[in-house]
Amino acid sequence: MTQPTDIRRDGQRPLPPDLLASALAAAERGWPVIPLHPGSKRPAGHAERACPRTGRCVGGHRTPEERATTDPGLIRTAWAHRPYNVGIATGPAGLLVIDLDPVKAEEPEGAPDGATSLQALCERAGQVLPDTYRVRTARGEHLYFTAPAGVRLKCSVDRLGPHIDTRAWGGYVVAPGSTTPDGTYEVACDAPVAELPDWLTSLLTEPERPTPVPVRVHDGTRAARVALERECAVIAAATEGGPHGRNNTLHKSACKVARFVAWGDIPRHVVEEAIQGAGEATGLPPAECRTTIRSALDWVITHATPREAA
């Protein structure tokens, strides 16, 4: 449950929370913490380019994740200097945190926020998320889960759906008690941290990707060959989900090359084979690649403008 906040007698804004207590509470759970700049989400300390290679960095620059600690003495020393916000290094803490964000102002009306996207994901999978520790963030919500043993999950952006990010190895979350210009982070549900469901682990586990092989095309005009090779490289470089993810990139690139097929500059089967290989190199299932490629080629070939109008 959210702890009550002290209110000043003059009726002004609440007193700042005890950030040291927040840092120590996280450490007691076994969650290594890092200081964040007061009123900010940015880690305190020096950047790699300004690393003095002394102290804790004597053997080389240490990232915020590597500097995170559960040592009460180090924590008290750090927070005695400034009212730092508190960050939790999710990877070393053994956590996978789902970060639900709101819709951006520039997005069209009706676009789903993170909570709506997560609900839709659960409905498609026929699953219900277990009760777990939740934090109301300044703009959304964090759902804490215990990361599965033996799997080193990384952070992701929109992989599970629009405005659903995850924080694991390589990332951190702002702990409750911290405050930013957007608001204060507060415990929304003080339930025990649940294990990450297997079905979510499967969605977040990156498949082993074959090493991309540069495409070399010998059929077709020079312009068509160059365009196909370029778009195959774009496809092979795609990794995440969302608007710039693998399937969307595959579809867009196939559309760009399809006009050369429509103009008779390159055989269709050459384009399909090359783009299919690039799509599979990203880890997309072969059947999904074929469906996406054929849909893109069929539409563009049917609606292609004459060459002189392109």
Side-chain angles (χ1 to χ4, degrees), residues 121-140:
L121 176 66
C122 291
E123 290 174 355
R124 290 196 301 271
Q127 300 286 345
V128 177
L129 290 180
D131 290 336
T132 192
Y133 183 81
R134 301 199 319 271
V135 172
R136 187 179 302 107
T137 72
R139 301 173 65 244

Side-chain angles (χ1 to χ4, degrees), residues 213-305:
V213 178
V215 174
R216 294 290 179 266
V217 184
H218 303 288
D219 293 333
T221 65
R222 183 177 184 279
R225 295 197 309 270
V226 169
L228 178 56
E229 292 172 2
R230 180 180 62 244
E231 293 306 322
C232 284
V234 170
I235 294 166
T239 55
E240 294 290 348
H244 304 295
R246 296 173 297 172
N247 193 282
N248 282 346
T249 300
L250 182 70
H251 186 270
K252 291 177 182 177
S253 291
C255 286
K256 290 180 181 178
V257 181
R259 58 180 179 161
F260 292 100
V261 177
W263 296 336
D265 289 349
I266 192 169
R268 174 168 178 154
H269 76 273
V270 172
V271 172
E272 288 182 333
E273 290 175 6
I275 295 183
Q276 178 78 22
E280 290 184 24
T282 69
L284 285 173
E288 183 177 346
C289 291
R290 284 192 295 272
T291 299
T292 299
I293 294 167
R294 289 173 182 171
S295 174
L297 292 177
D298 288 345
W299 194 93
V300 173
I301 291 171
T302 301
H303 299 85
T305 58

Side-chain angles (χ1 to χ4, degrees), residues 184-215:
T184 299
Y185 288 66
E186 301 176 326
V187 176
C189 177
D190 201 11
V193 178
E195 294 183 4
L196 184 69
D198 290 341
W199 66 276
L200 280 177
T201 300
S202 298
L203 292 176
L204 292 169
T205 303
E206 295 206 15
E208 188 172 342
R209 296 172 56 176
T211 303
V213 178
V215 174

Side-chain angles (χ1 to χ4, degrees), residues 53-69:
R53 299 298 193 271
T54 59
R56 300 181 69 185
C57 294
V58 68
H61 178 68
R62 301 186 69 185
T63 65
E65 182 177 79
E66 294 169 329
R67 296 198 300 268
T69 182

